[in-house]
Amino acid sequence: MRIDLLTSGSKGNSCLVRDGKTTILIDCGSTKKYLMDEFRNVDVKVNDIQGVLITHAHTDHVSQLKHFAHLPVYSFCSLDAFKLADYRRITPGTIFTIGTFTIRVIRLSHDSPNTIGFVIYNDLHKLVYITDTGYIPNNEHAYLKDANYYILESNHDIGMLMASSRPMYLKQRILGDSGHLCNELASKYLLSFIGERTKYVILAHISDECNTIDRALDVFNDELSRNKHPFNGIVKAMPQRTRYSIVD
């Protein structure tokens, strides 16, 4: 499996997943120029994609969807504004296939209707992809354990958020059950999920204003140390408008 996290954060979200036979795109936020430049950088053309998975309808996840509207698009949320040629509605708990990939739909909790995450796997590898959620429902946890790769949001540091100039209603939104995961909660979830097969953890959707790369990594590593967790894989925290590729 090859994973190219093209960008993650409030400026845009997009990720390519492929295995030599099948190519999937998760979300398509950012600008047209940025996405198309990154597609060229990882040697993917739009028509190489067999399916587009959409987590939710916020602009930073769907702003460039019109460029993929001729492809099969899978989502739980309404995308009527995009005049899609092949819209396929999926619901939490659904399991479906695109080429050589099997995908399970994970229910999340965000202030965009019908937000979801994905578990994507083939015969060899398993990826958990979750961004934009205030919490992860308990009944989904069993499906998220012992993946090879995790892309999970670690959006904010609570102290930095509360000290920021953002209005209180926005702070409350971010901290709420329909907001975003803070560093501490993201790390606690990860420690309950990662297993012997886990090779990579990517801390994603990091706030420019209310978090730092070092802070997100420190919280995760502190959680590992405090719990004497044996994980010795690779951990990355991703700045916005930055690509990170996993080739396995």
Side-chain angles (χ1 to χ4, degrees):
M1 186 182 285
R2 172 166 178 160
I3 302 163
D4 295 289
L5 183 60
L6 304 180
T7 183
S8 181
S10 59
K11 296 175 183 174
N13 297 270
S14 190
C15 183
L16 286 162
V17 184
R18 48 187 156 150
D19 65 359
K21 296 180 180 178
T22 304
T23 300
I24 294 171
L25 177 67
I26 308 174
D27 287 341
C28 49
S30 194
T31 65
K32 178 184 177 181
K33 182 180 187 308
Y34 180 88
L35 279 189
M36 296 307 153
D37 284 349
E38 289 303 313
F39 273 38
R40 283 190 289 272
N41 288 337
V42 299
D43 195 27
V44 170
K45 298 179 177 62
V46 169
N47 287 336
D48 294 337
I49 297 166
Q50 282 106 310
V52 180
L53 308 181
I54 298 297
T55 59
H56 64 291
H58 279 165
T59 302
D60 55 327
H61 294 258
V62 298
S63 61
Q64 303 309 314
L65 185 54
K66 63 184 178 181
H67 303 294
F68 306 92
H70 62 293
L71 301 172
V73 176
Y74 300 78
S75 180
F76 186 28
C77 63
S78 174
L79 298 169
D80 294 342
F82 292 96
K83 300 179 181 178
L84 302 176
D86 187 2
Y87 171 75
R88 305 186 186 189
R89 190 173 190 267
I90 51 177
T91 58
T94 301
I95 300 172
F96 63 100
T97 60
I98 300 176
T100 50
F101 288 121
T102 300
I103 298 121
R104 173 180 281 274
V105 183
I106 302 297
R107 183 183 297 278
L108 298 179
S109 177
H110 194 50
D111 60 356
S112 178
N114 298 338
T115 298
I116 53 177
F118 303 104
V119 179
I120 301 171
Y121 51 98
N122 58 15
D123 291 339
L124 297 175
H125 299 113
K126 174 181 175 181
L127 163 67
V128 170
Y129 186 95
I130 291 176
T131 65
D132 295 75
T133 192
Y135 70 96
I136 302 173
N138 289 336
N139 63 350
E140 302 286 10
H141 290 195
Y143 308 115
L144 308 179
K145 293 183 180 294
D146 200 23
N148 303 96
Y149 322 106
Y150 289 91
I151 298 174
L152 181 73
E153 82 160 349
S154 189
N155 176 255
H156 60 276
D157 173 86
I158 294 175
M160 291 180 67
L161 174 63
M162 295 309 294
S164 73
S165 60
R166 294 181 175 186
M168 183 55 66
Y169 79 86
L170 181 55
K171 294 175 183 178
Q172 291 172 336
R173 168 192 171 257
I174 293 168
L175 291 170
D177 283 350
S178 298
H180 290 276
L181 295 180
C182 66
N183 292 332
E184 287 78 9
L185 187 52
S187 295
K188 289 180 186 300
Y189 278 136
L190 283 165
L191 260 67
S192 71
F193 298 152
I194 57 180
E196 293 182 359
R197 297 197 306 165
T198 305
K199 299 180 181 181
Y200 288 86
V201 169
I202 300 180
L203 306 176
H205 214 297
I206 290 174
S207 170
D208 279 343
E209 182 183 359
C210 300
N211 206 358
T212 68
I213 299 301
D214 289 343
R215 181 61 183 152
L217 288 171
D218 285 347
V219 170
F220 178 76
N221 287 321
D222 287 349
E223 193 74 16
L224 284 178
S225 178
R226 183 164 48 253
N227 289 275
K228 299 181 179 179
H229 197 286
F231 176 68
N232 61 357
I234 295 171
V235 183
K236 293 285 186 180
M238 296 306 301
Q240 299 194 44
R241 295 281 175 90
T242 301
R243 171 171 45 87
Y244 184 73
S245 298
I246 298 170
V247 182
D248 199 357

mmCIF file of all heavy atoms in Angstrom, residues 134-166:
data_model
loop_
_atom_site.group_PDB
_atom_site.id
_atom_site.type_symbol
_atom_site.label_atom_id
_atom_site.label_comp_id
_atom_site.label_asym_id
_atom_site.label_seq_id
_atom_site.Cartn_x
_atom_site.Cartn_y
_atom_site.Cartn_z
ATOM 1 N N GLY A 134 -15.176 15.351 17.283
ATOM 2 C CA GLY A 134 -15.011 15.707 18.680
ATOM 3 C C GLY A 134 -14.698 14.516 19.550
ATOM 4 O O GLY A 134 -14.103 14.646 20.616
ATOM 5 N N TYR A 135 -15.126 13.338 19.102
ATOM 6 C CA TYR A 135 -14.808 12.082 19.787
ATOM 7 C C TYR A 135 -15.028 10.940 18.810
ATOM 8 O O TYR A 135 -15.597 11.130 17.716
ATOM 9 C CB TYR A 135 -15.661 11.893 21.046
ATOM 10 C CG TYR A 135 -17.124 11.623 20.782
ATOM 11 C CD1 TYR A 135 -17.621 10.325 20.751
ATOM 12 C CD2 TYR A 135 -18.018 12.671 20.540
ATOM 13 C CE1 TYR A 135 -18.959 10.073 20.493
ATOM 14 C CE2 TYR A 135 -19.357 12.431 20.295
ATOM 15 C CZ TYR A 135 -19.822 11.127 20.266
ATOM 16 O OH TYR A 135 -21.145 10.885 20.003
ATOM 17 N N ILE A 136 -14.585 9.745 19.178
ATOM 18 C CA ILE A 136 -14.796 8.553 18.362
ATOM 19 C C ILE A 136 -15.749 7.641 19.120
ATOM 20 O O ILE A 136 -15.434 7.208 20.231
ATOM 21 C CB ILE A 136 -13.473 7.833 18.065
ATOM 22 C CG1 ILE A 136 -12.501 8.776 17.345
ATOM 23 C CG2 ILE A 136 -13.725 6.593 17.205
ATOM 24 C CD1 ILE A 136 -11.108 8.205 17.152
ATOM 25 N N PRO A 137 -16.921 7.367 18.573
ATOM 26 C CA PRO A 137 -17.908 6.557 19.297
ATOM 27 C C PRO A 137 -17.344 5.205 19.732
ATOM 28 O O PRO A 137 -16.597 4.556 18.981
ATOM 29 C CB PRO A 137 -19.035 6.389 18.268
ATOM 30 C CG PRO A 137 -18.908 7.579 17.369
ATOM 31 C CD PRO A 137 -17.440 7.838 17.268
ATOM 32 N N ASN A 138 -17.708 4.787 20.926
ATOM 33 C CA ASN A 138 -17.169 3.544 21.488
ATOM 34 C C ASN A 138 -17.437 2.333 20.606
ATOM 35 O O ASN A 138 -16.594 1.421 20.517
ATOM 36 C CB ASN A 138 -17.758 3.297 22.877
ATOM 37 C CG ASN A 138 -17.224 4.258 23.920
ATOM 38 O OD1 ASN A 138 -16.132 4.824 23.770
ATOM 39 N ND2 ASN A 138 -17.973 4.456 24.988
ATOM 40 N N ASN A 139 -18.590 2.314 19.950
ATOM 41 C CA ASN A 139 -18.920 1.127 19.168
ATOM 42 C C ASN A 139 -18.114 1.015 17.877
ATOM 43 O O ASN A 139 -18.227 0.006 17.164
ATOM 44 C CB ASN A 139 -20.415 1.072 18.865
ATOM 45 C CG ASN A 139 -20.899 2.229 18.012
ATOM 46 O OD1 ASN A 139 -20.163 3.194 17.792
ATOM 47 N ND2 ASN A 139 -22.127 2.149 17.530
ATOM 48 N N GLU A 140 -17.302 2.008 17.578
ATOM 49 C CA GLU A 140 -16.423 1.944 16.407
ATOM 50 C C GLU A 140 -15.018 1.461 16.760
ATOM 51 O O GLU A 140 -14.239 1.109 15.875
ATOM 52 C CB GLU A 140 -16.317 3.326 15.740
ATOM 53 C CG GLU A 140 -17.638 3.924 15.290
ATOM 54 C CD GLU A 140 -18.195 3.253 14.043
ATOM 55 O OE1 GLU A 140 -17.672 2.212 13.621
ATOM 56 O OE2 GLU A 140 -19.182 3.784 13.498
ATOM 57 N N HIS A 141 -14.674 1.447 18.031
ATOM 58 C CA HIS A 141 -13.284 1.207 18.428
ATOM 59 C C HIS A 141 -12.753 -0.152 17.965
ATOM 60 O O HIS A 141 -11.579 -0.268 17.597
ATOM 61 C CB HIS A 141 -13.134 1.336 19.943
ATOM 62 C CG HIS A 141 -13.276 2.732 20.444
ATOM 63 N ND1 HIS A 141 -12.882 3.126 21.698
ATOM 64 C CD2 HIS A 141 -13.773 3.860 19.860
ATOM 65 C CE1 HIS A 141 -13.127 4.403 21.873
ATOM 66 N NE2 HIS A 141 -13.679 4.868 20.762
ATOM 67 N N ALA A 142 -13.590 -1.169 18.003
ATOM 68 C CA ALA A 142 -13.122 -2.510 17.651
ATOM 69 C C ALA A 142 -12.576 -2.574 16.227
ATOM 70 O O ALA A 142 -11.655 -3.355 15.943
ATOM 71 C CB ALA A 142 -14.252 -3.526 17.826
ATOM 72 N N TYR A 143 -13.116 -1.749 15.340
ATOM 73 C CA TYR A 143 -12.700 -1.779 13.936
ATOM 74 C C TYR A 143 -11.409 -1.001 13.692
ATOM 75 O O TYR A 143 -10.838 -1.072 12.600
ATOM 76 C CB TYR A 143 -13.813 -1.204 13.057
ATOM 77 C CG TYR A 143 -15.149 -1.834 13.309
ATOM 78 C CD1 TYR A 143 -16.198 -1.083 13.829
ATOM 79 C CD2 TYR A 143 -15.364 -3.187 13.052
ATOM 80 C CE1 TYR A 143 -17.434 -1.664 14.077
ATOM 81 C CE2 TYR A 143 -16.595 -3.776 13.308
ATOM 82 C CZ TYR A 143 -17.617 -3.015 13.826
ATOM 83 O OH TYR A 143 -18.832 -3.593 14.073
ATOM 84 N N LEU A 144 -10.967 -0.262 14.702
ATOM 85 C CA LEU A 144 -9.829 0.640 14.522
ATOM 86 C C LEU A 144 -8.531 0.085 15.106
ATOM 87 O O LEU A 144 -7.496 0.726 15.017
ATOM 88 C CB LEU A 144 -10.144 1.990 15.182
ATOM 89 C CG LEU A 144 -11.468 2.633 14.758
ATOM 90 C CD1 LEU A 144 -11.669 3.947 15.501
ATOM 91 C CD2 LEU A 144 -11.520 2.851 13.255
ATOM 92 N N LYS A 145 -8.575 -1.102 15.650
ATOM 93 C CA LYS A 145 -7.414 -1.640 16.353
ATOM 94 C C LYS A 145 -6.416 -2.305 15.406
ATOM 95 O O LYS A 145 -6.777 -2.898 14.399
ATOM 96 C CB LYS A 145 -7.859 -2.643 17.421
ATOM 97 C CG LYS A 145 -8.641 -1.989 18.561
ATOM 98 C CD LYS A 145 -8.997 -2.984 19.640
ATOM 99 C CE LYS A 145 -9.773 -2.333 20.778
ATOM 100 N NZ LYS A 145 -8.966 -1.346 21.514
ATOM 101 N N ASP A 146 -5.132 -2.160 15.779
ATOM 102 C CA ASP A 146 -4.010 -2.860 15.141
ATOM 103 C C ASP A 146 -3.945 -2.650 13.634
ATOM 104 O O ASP A 146 -3.706 -3.582 12.872
ATOM 105 C CB ASP A 146 -4.066 -4.361 15.467
ATOM 106 C CG ASP A 146 -2.721 -5.045 15.264
ATOM 107 O OD1 ASP A 146 -1.678 -4.353 15.306
ATOM 108 O OD2 ASP A 146 -2.703 -6.277 15.079
ATOM 109 N N ALA A 147 -4.158 -1.412 13.201
ATOM 110 C CA ALA A 147 -3.932 -1.080 11.790
ATOM 111 C C ALA A 147 -2.439 -0.882 11.549
ATOM 112 O O ALA A 147 -1.669 -0.602 12.465
ATOM 113 C CB ALA A 147 -4.699 0.182 11.417
ATOM 114 N N ASN A 148 -2.050 -1.018 10.290
ATOM 115 C CA ASN A 148 -0.662 -0.729 9.926
ATOM 116 C C ASN A 148 -0.374 0.764 9.957
ATOM 117 O O ASN A 148 0.731 1.181 10.327
ATOM 118 C CB ASN A 148 -0.359 -1.265 8.523
ATOM 119 C CG ASN A 148 -0.617 -2.745 8.392
ATOM 120 O OD1 ASN A 148 -1.686 -3.142 7.941
ATOM 121 N ND2 ASN A 148 0.327 -3.569 8.807
ATOM 122 N N TYR A 149 -1.391 1.567 9.584
ATOM 123 C CA TYR A 149 -1.193 3.006 9.451
ATOM 124 C C TYR A 149 -2.390 3.740 10.067
ATOM 125 O O TYR A 149 -3.536 3.354 9.864
ATOM 126 C CB TYR A 149 -1.085 3.413 7.978
ATOM 127 C CG TYR A 149 -0.330 2.437 7.123
ATOM 128 C CD1 TYR A 149 -1.002 1.607 6.223
ATOM 129 C CD2 TYR A 149 1.054 2.308 7.225
ATOM 130 C CE1 TYR A 149 -0.321 0.696 5.443
ATOM 131 C CE2 TYR A 149 1.740 1.397 6.447
ATOM 132 C CZ TYR A 149 1.059 0.581 5.558
ATOM 133 O OH TYR A 149 1.729 -0.338 4.800
ATOM 134 N N TYR A 150 -2.080 4.815 10.780
ATOM 135 C CA TYR A 150 -3.112 5.680 11.334
ATOM 136 C C TYR A 150 -2.882 7.109 10.867
ATOM 137 O O TYR A 150 -1.774 7.641 10.998
ATOM 138 C CB TYR A 150 -3.089 5.667 12.868
ATOM 139 C CG TYR A 150 -3.579 4.377 13.471
ATOM 140 C CD1 TYR A 150 -2.696 3.346 13.745
ATOM 141 C CD2 TYR A 150 -4.929 4.184 13.747
ATOM 142 C CE1 TYR A 150 -3.145 2.147 14.280
ATOM 143 C CE2 TYR A 150 -5.387 2.996 14.286
ATOM 144 C CZ TYR A 150 -4.491 1.976 14.552
ATOM 145 O OH TYR A 150 -4.936 0.794 15.076
ATOM 146 N N ILE A 151 -3.913 7.718 10.326
ATOM 147 C CA ILE A 151 -3.948 9.151 10.097
ATOM 148 C C ILE A 151 -5.098 9.672 10.953
ATOM 149 O O ILE A 151 -6.265 9.408 10.669
ATOM 150 C CB ILE A 151 -4.158 9.494 8.613
ATOM 151 C CG1 ILE A 151 -2.984 8.954 7.775
ATOM 152 C CG2 ILE A 151 -4.305 10.998 8.427
ATOM 153 C CD1 ILE A 151 -3.163 9.126 6.275
ATOM 154 N N LEU A 152 -4.751 10.369 12.030
ATOM 155 C CA LEU A 152 -5.739 10.798 13.011
ATOM 156 C C LEU A 152 -5.484 12.250 13.369
ATOM 157 O O LEU A 152 -4.335 12.641 13.605
ATOM 158 C CB LEU A 152 -5.644 9.943 14.272
ATOM 159 C CG LEU A 152 -6.643 10.277 15.385
ATOM 160 C CD1 LEU A 152 -8.044 9.816 14.994
ATOM 161 C CD2 LEU A 152 -6.235 9.640 16.702
ATOM 162 N N GLU A 153 -6.555 13.025 13.446
ATOM 163 C CA GLU A 153 -6.351 14.426 13.777
ATOM 164 C C GLU A 153 -5.901 14.598 15.228
ATOM 165 O O GLU A 153 -6.346 13.888 16.130
ATOM 166 C CB GLU A 153 -7.605 15.247 13.498
ATOM 167 C CG GLU A 153 -8.669 15.218 14.556
ATOM 168 C CD GLU A 153 -9.620 16.410 14.429
ATOM 169 O OE1 GLU A 153 -9.326 17.349 13.671
ATOM 170 O OE2 GLU A 153 -10.659 16.387 15.099
ATOM 171 N N SER A 154 -4.980 15.534 15.396
ATOM 172 C CA SER A 154 -4.527 15.990 16.715
ATOM 173 C C SER A 154 -4.550 17.504 16.619
ATOM 174 O O SER A 154 -3.532 18.169 16.491
ATOM 175 C CB SER A 154 -3.123 15.438 17.006
ATOM 176 O OG SER A 154 -2.729 15.676 18.335
ATOM 177 N N ASN A 155 -5.751 18.048 16.657
ATOM 178 C CA ASN A 155 -6.003 19.383 16.135
ATOM 179 C C ASN A 155 -5.428 20.507 16.971
ATOM 180 O O ASN A 155 -4.817 21.436 16.446
ATOM 181 C CB ASN A 155 -7.515 19.576 15.958
ATOM 182 C CG ASN A 155 -7.889 20.965 15.512
ATOM 183 O OD1 ASN A 155 -8.385 21.763 16.297
ATOM 184 N ND2 ASN A 155 -7.637 21.266 14.248
ATOM 185 N N HIS A 156 -5.617 20.453 18.299
ATOM 186 C CA HIS A 156 -5.285 21.646 19.082
ATOM 187 C C HIS A 156 -4.717 21.291 20.455
ATOM 188 O O HIS A 156 -4.925 20.196 20.975
ATOM 189 C CB HIS A 156 -6.525 22.527 19.260
ATOM 190 C CG HIS A 156 -7.653 21.825 19.966
ATOM 191 N ND1 HIS A 156 -8.553 21.016 19.300
ATOM 192 C CD2 HIS A 156 -8.037 21.808 21.272
ATOM 193 C CE1 HIS A 156 -9.417 20.519 20.166
ATOM 194 N NE2 HIS A 156 -9.133 20.983 21.363
ATOM 195 N N ASP A 157 -3.988 22.228 20.982
ATOM 196 C CA ASP A 157 -3.578 22.226 22.381
ATOM 197 C C ASP A 157 -4.610 23.072 23.134
ATOM 198 O O ASP A 157 -4.869 24.224 22.758
ATOM 199 C CB ASP A 157 -2.179 22.834 22.504
ATOM 200 C CG ASP A 157 -1.751 23.010 23.941
ATOM 201 O OD1 ASP A 157 -1.221 22.058 24.519
ATOM 202 O OD2 ASP A 157 -1.959 24.127 24.489
ATOM 203 N N ILE A 158 -5.206 22.520 24.175
ATOM 204 C CA ILE A 158 -6.303 23.214 24.852
ATOM 205 C C ILE A 158 -5.846 24.553 25.426
ATOM 206 O O ILE A 158 -6.542 25.570 25.304
ATOM 207 C CB ILE A 158 -6.907 22.321 25.953
ATOM 208 C CG1 ILE A 158 -7.576 21.094 25.320
ATOM 209 C CG2 ILE A 158 -7.938 23.109 26.778
ATOM 210 C CD1 ILE A 158 -8.104 20.090 26.321
ATOM 211 N N GLY A 159 -4.672 24.589 26.036
ATOM 212 C CA GLY A 159 -4.169 25.840 26.599
ATOM 213 C C GLY A 159 -3.960 26.903 25.542
ATOM 214 O O GLY A 159 -4.329 28.079 25.733
ATOM 215 N N MET A 160 -3.375 26.517 24.404
ATOM 216 C CA MET A 160 -3.163 27.467 23.312
ATOM 217 C C MET A 160 -4.492 27.944 22.741
ATOM 218 O O MET A 160 -4.647 29.125 22.397
ATOM 219 C CB MET A 160 -2.308 26.835 22.220
ATOM 220 C CG MET A 160 -0.859 26.598 22.615
ATOM 221 S SD MET A 160 0.105 25.836 21.269
ATOM 222 C CE MET A 160 0.111 27.164 20.066
ATOM 223 N N LEU A 161 -5.453 27.032 22.623
ATOM 224 C CA LEU A 161 -6.765 27.416 22.121
ATOM 225 C C LEU A 161 -7.423 28.448 23.035
ATOM 226 O O LEU A 161 -7.916 29.485 22.573
ATOM 227 C CB LEU A 161 -7.657 26.182 21.997
ATOM 228 C CG LEU A 161 -9.116 26.436 21.628
ATOM 229 C CD1 LEU A 161 -9.235 27.074 20.246
ATOM 230 C CD2 LEU A 161 -9.920 25.138 21.688
ATOM 231 N N MET A 162 -7.411 28.191 24.334
ATOM 232 C CA MET A 162 -8.079 29.094 25.260
ATOM 233 C C MET A 162 -7.369 30.441 25.363
ATOM 234 O O MET A 162 -8.000 31.461 25.649
ATOM 235 C CB MET A 162 -8.190 28.444 26.640
ATOM 236 C CG MET A 162 -9.083 27.202 26.652
ATOM 237 S SD MET A 162 -10.721 27.471 25.905
ATOM 238 C CE MET A 162 -11.421 28.654 27.082
ATOM 239 N N ALA A 163 -6.060 30.474 25.114
ATOM 240 C CA ALA A 163 -5.304 31.726 25.157
ATOM 241 C C ALA A 163 -5.351 32.492 23.840
ATOM 242 O O ALA A 163 -4.879 33.629 23.762
ATOM 243 C CB ALA A 163 -3.854 31.439 25.532
ATOM 244 N N SER A 164 -5.938 31.883 22.812
ATOM 245 C CA SER A 164 -5.968 32.518 21.494
ATOM 246 C C SER A 164 -6.999 33.641 21.470
ATOM 247 O O SER A 164 -7.818 33.785 22.371
ATOM 248 C CB SER A 164 -6.309 31.479 20.417
ATOM 249 O OG SER A 164 -7.677 31.121 20.479
ATOM 250 N N SER A 165 -6.960 34.419 20.400
ATOM 251 C CA SER A 165 -7.899 35.538 20.241
ATOM 252 C C SER A 165 -9.224 35.102 19.631
ATOM 253 O O SER A 165 -10.083 35.944 19.344
ATOM 254 C CB SER A 165 -7.261 36.615 19.355
ATOM 255 O OG SER A 165 -6.954 36.082 18.070
ATOM 256 N N ARG A 166 -9.422 33.823 19.435
ATOM 257 C CA ARG A 166 -10.665 33.336 18.850
ATOM 258 C C ARG A 166 -11.838 33.630 19.785
ATOM 259 O O ARG A 166 -11.689 33.576 21.005
ATOM 260 C CB ARG A 166 -10.569 31.838 18.578
ATOM 261 C CG ARG A 166 -9.532 31.499 17.510
ATOM 262 C CD ARG A 166 -9.473 30.025 17.230
ATOM 263 N NE ARG A 166 -8.562 29.737 16.131
ATOM 264 C CZ ARG A 166 -8.391 28.525 15.595
ATOM 265 N NH1 ARG A 166 -9.055 27.486 16.086
ATOM 266 N NH2 ARG A 166 -7.537 28.357 14.589
#
